[in-house]
Amino acid sequence: MYAIRERRHREVVVLTDPQDSEYRTRPVHKPGETLPESIGAHVEWDTDALLRT
């Protein structure tokens, strides 16, 4: 799993499910959203805080 901060677009992109050098799942999360457990682990990230730093 990789999380990418896109400050310009104010979003967090989460890459999961790697296969053949690509990631099949690429959900986008806006400020205030939490990341779902479908990423393979229970992770609570404050997307607002990620985008501020």
Side-chain angles (χ1 to χ4, degrees):
M1 182 208 71
Y2 285 96
I4 302 169
R5 294 184 305 181
E6 292 282 352
R7 288 190 222 170
R8 176 177 281 168
H9 297 110
R10 302 260 321 132
E11 61 190 22
V12 175
V13 179
V14 180
L15 304 175
T16 60
D17 200 12
Q19 185 176 11
D20 298 326
S21 301
E22 294 185 10
Y23 289 90
R24 296 188 309 167
T25 307
R26 190 183 191 275
V28 176
H29 299 276
K30 296 293 182 181
E33 293 182 0
T34 57
L35 303 178
E37 288 190 38
S38 63
I39 63 172
H42 179 73
V43 177
E44 288 187 27
W45 277 341
D46 180 353
T47 52
D48 288 321
L50 280 174
L51 292 169
R52 276 194 305 266
T53 58

